[in-house]
């Protein structure tokens, strides 16, 4: 019923004392001011000004609008300034979630880039595996989810509807076999999964365990999983202690190591793909898009390092 333009007119009339002076202060024509006052009176259902010769006086209702206009217009101006600051990356907030090995590798480099380029943008980070992070994104509890999917499976895996999401591919993460340093295969250049049917296995997160089961089934056997943990430092410890073997992606091996294990390529080769996931609307937020760009750059650097190492 009452818009910001109408409030500005009422305040100008109260300050200037006439339609002509109010029009001059606002950069409007006098007829435009008169029309805006008539429209506002129609909307409110009461008279707002009283004409006294060439001057006008505000009625009681007019004084109420002029009085409230001060705080309302100040709030609108403050909101416009904050939005302009966000649009110009002078401020902003991004809520980011990533799985553990991503948070140890991709995320730190990306957040360092964001801080260096946009020091007033705040990024809040929480660690979560893909089912939880994607659910949080769908619920509006985060702005970007760094997630992964293994070959042959989609990102949602039937757990999350992906229709509202936009997914940006960050990198392909090769999976390797990790065995004890004194294992019978430790001296080989690579390992065939079919030769590991009699081994005991250490499994990681639920998605990683699902991948392990699928890889082994494709090779003709069901893996005997003896221990499960989402802590990959612990997985390496179990393997080093001779309690089993494990499949571990490159990202984890680049951030965690153990002198008691040997890392081998596997045949057939297997990999997972790492994604940055958000929504089309969130990508229009400058701070979110800047963080997506930083994640892409961080992933490119990691991929180049892996390629150089090979």
């Amino acid at each position: 019923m009452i818009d910001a333009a109408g409030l500005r007119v009422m305040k100008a009339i109260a300050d200037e004392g006439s339609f002509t002076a109010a029009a001059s202060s606002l950069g409007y024509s006098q007829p435009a001011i008169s029309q805006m006052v008539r429209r506002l009176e129609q909307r409110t259902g009461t008279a707002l000004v009283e004409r006294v010769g060439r001057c006008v006086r505000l009625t009681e209702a007019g004084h109420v609008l002029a009085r409230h206009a001060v705080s309302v217009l100040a709030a609108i101006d403050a909101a416009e300034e904050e939005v302009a600051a966000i649009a110009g990356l002078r401020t902003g907030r991004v809520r980011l979630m990533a799985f553990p090995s991503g948070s140890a590798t991709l995320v730190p480099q990306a957040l360092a880039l964001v801080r260096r380029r946009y020091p007033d943008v705040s990024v809040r980070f929480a660690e979560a595996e893909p089912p939880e992070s994607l659910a949080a994104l769908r619920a509006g509890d985060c702005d970007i989810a760094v997630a992964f999917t293994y070959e042959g499976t989609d990102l949602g895996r039937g757990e999350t509807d992906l229709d509202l999401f936009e997914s940006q591919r960050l990198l392909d993460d090769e999976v390797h076999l990790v065995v004890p340093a004194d294992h019978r295969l430790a001296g080989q250049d690579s390992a065939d999964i079919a030769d590991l049917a009699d081994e005991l296995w250490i499994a990681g997160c639920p998605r990683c365990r699902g991948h392990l089961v699928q890889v082994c089934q494709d090779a003709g056997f069901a893996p005997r999983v003896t221990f499960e943990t989402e802590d990959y430092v612990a997985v390496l410890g179990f393997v080093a202690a001779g309690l089993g073997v494990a499949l571990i992606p490159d990202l984890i091996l680049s951030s965690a190591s153990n002198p008691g294990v040997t890392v081998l390529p596997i045949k057939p080769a297997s990999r997972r793909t790492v994604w940055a996931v958000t929504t089309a609307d969130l990508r229009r937020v400058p701070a979110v898009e800047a963080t997506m760009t930083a994640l892409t750059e961080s992933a490119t650097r990691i991929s180049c390092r892996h390629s150089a190492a090979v």
Side-chain angles (χ1 to χ4, degrees):
M1 184 173 67
I2 302 171
D3 56 23
L7 288 176
R8 290 189 193 280
V9 167
M10 296 307 299
K11 182 177 182 301
I13 293 172
D15 292 342
E16 305 296 337
S18 72
F19 280 10
T20 301
S24 178
S25 69
L26 294 175
Y28 294 152
S29 66
Q30 191 272 338
I33 292 291
S34 298
Q35 184 178 12
M36 293 173 75
V37 170
R38 284 197 300 272
R39 186 164 60 245
L40 195 55
E41 287 179 331
Q42 291 172 353
R43 290 177 176 177
T44 57
T46 188
L48 299 176
V49 299
E50 177 186 2
R51 290 159 181 82
V52 182
R54 294 186 176 181
C55 297
V56 294
R57 290 196 297 246
L58 297 183
T59 64
E60 181 181 4
H63 279 294
V64 168
L65 289 183
R67 185 177 74 250
H68 283 288
V70 175
S71 57
V72 171
L73 294 175
I76 290 174
D77 289 343
E80 288 176 345
E81 174 57 29
E82 285 190 37
V83 171
I86 292 170
L89 284 171
R90 300 195 306 275
T91 186
R93 181 202 68 181
V94 180
R95 298 164 300 169
L96 173 67
M97 285 187 171
F99 56 94
S101 57
S103 65
T105 50
L106 275 167
V107 171
Q109 294 183 41
L111 298 194
L113 287 172
V114 173
R115 177 172 292 182
R116 184 163 64 249
R117 294 167 179 170
Y118 313 105
D120 295 323
V121 170
S122 171
V123 181
R124 300 178 184 176
F125 171 72
E127 197 169 79
E129 294 288 353
E132 291 76 24
S133 61
L134 294 175
L137 178 62
R138 185 172 181 80
D141 295 329
C142 82
D143 303 309
I144 301 173
V146 178
F148 64 87
T149 181
Y150 284 99
E151 293 173 308
T153 61
D154 64 52
L155 195 57
R157 289 188 61 191
E159 303 158 348
T160 306
D161 184 359
L162 300 178
D163 288 347
L164 300 179
F165 294 165
E166 280 200 1
S167 302
Q168 182 167 310
R169 191 178 192 138
L170 296 179
L171 57 82
D172 289 327
D173 194 16
E174 200 76 20
V175 176
H176 293 285
L177 175 70
V178 179
V179 299
D182 59 357
H183 192 274
R184 60 184 174 84
L185 299 177
Q188 297 187 183
D189 293 332
S190 63
D192 193 320
I193 292 295
D195 294 335
L196 299 163
D198 296 330
E199 299 288 342
L200 300 177
W201 291 86
I202 315 298
C205 71
R207 285 198 173 193
C208 297
R209 179 189 173 119
H211 171 254
L212 167 64
V213 170
Q214 187 60 56
V215 166
C216 292
Q217 285 180 345
D218 290 345
F221 68 94
R224 292 185 295 159
V225 176
T226 56
F227 298 101
E228 294 181 62
T229 174
E230 296 184 20
D231 182 345
Y232 277 93
V233 173
V235 172
L236 292 173
F238 281 123
V239 174
L243 297 173
V245 300
L247 294 180
I248 300 183
D250 263 340
L251 271 183
I252 295 167
L253 295 171
S254 66
S255 61
S257 61
N258 189 306
V261 305
T262 296
V263 178
L264 298 168
I266 59 173
K267 294 188 295 185
S270 181
R271 63 185 59 84
R272 66 179 182 177
T273 301
V274 179
W275 306 85
V277 189
T278 186
T279 69
D281 287 338
L282 285 170
R283 289 210 73 156
R284 295 164 52 211
V285 177
V288 172
E289 181 61 20
T291 305
M292 292 285 284
T293 298
L295 285 166
T296 301
E297 292 182 29
S298 176
T300 299
R301 294 178 184 182
I302 290 172
S303 297
C304 288
R305 286 202 301 269
H306 285 175
S307 298
V310 173

